[in-house]
Amino acid sequence: QVQLVESGGGLVQPGGSLRLTCTDPEIIWERTAMSWVRQAPGKGPEWVAGISSASSYQYYADSVKGRFTISRDNSKNSMYLRMNNLRTEDSAVYYCTRDARPELRDWRPRGQGTQVIVSS
């Protein structure tokens, strides 16, 4: 059974880069705004970036603006997060979710997430 999958995480030094990928066969990609949410150990979920269904608009948390780029390819049922100049505080499990700015109060991830560790 094909499910939502987040991938691309790993261990990287401060200042390094990673590219995360999200694929989800259950979404009608052409109609669905998407976003990335991260959760660090012992902390609540934090919205990172969102993108409209046709990529017309991208939104970023202040903490990642200028360093991260969100994008998508609806023909591949996929969304991406390019992360540059990574900092230790970016370490977290990253999840993709529906809506460009999801309500996180009762949010639960649908996938396993992909872990990003920024450490020297």
Side-chain angles (χ1 to χ4, degrees):
Q1 182 178 357
V2 181
Q3 299 176 342
L4 180 152
V5 176
E6 298 105 338
S7 62
L11 173 63
V12 63
Q13 293 185 343
S17 298
L18 286 172
R19 185 188 190 227
L20 308 184
T21 299
C22 165
T23 58
D24 189 343
E26 296 185 359
I27 288 177
I28 301 176
W29 282 82
E30 293 78 8
R31 302 180 187 175
T32 308
M34 297 288 292
S35 60
W36 289 95
V37 171
R38 66 187 180 187
Q39 188 160 16
K43 296 186 177 181
E46 176 190 14
W47 174 78
V48 175
I51 187 167
S52 60
S53 58
S55 302
S56 301
Y57 302 98
Q58 297 88 41
Y59 313 92
Y60 298 94
D62 288 343
S63 59
V64 306
K65 200 172 295 182
R67 300 186 298 121
F68 290 11
T69 302
I70 189 171
S71 62
R72 62 192 291 163
D73 185 340
N74 290 344
S75 69
K76 297 181 179 180
N77 294 342
S78 296
M79 177 178 67
Y80 311 98
L81 186 68
R82 176 67 179 181
M83 306 186 296
N84 294 328
N85 193 19
L86 282 160
R87 304 169 179 169
T88 55
E89 54 264 37
D90 295 318
S91 297
V93 179
Y94 285 70
Y95 303 93
C96 60
T97 193
R98 303 181 190 193
D99 296 326
R101 284 186 174 268
E103 169 58 54
L104 296 180
R105 182 169 54 186
D106 297 313
W107 177 84
R108 293 292 183 271
R110 291 177 54 235
Q112 296 297 312
T114 185
Q115 187 167 29
V116 172
I117 301 174
V118 185
S119 175
S120 55

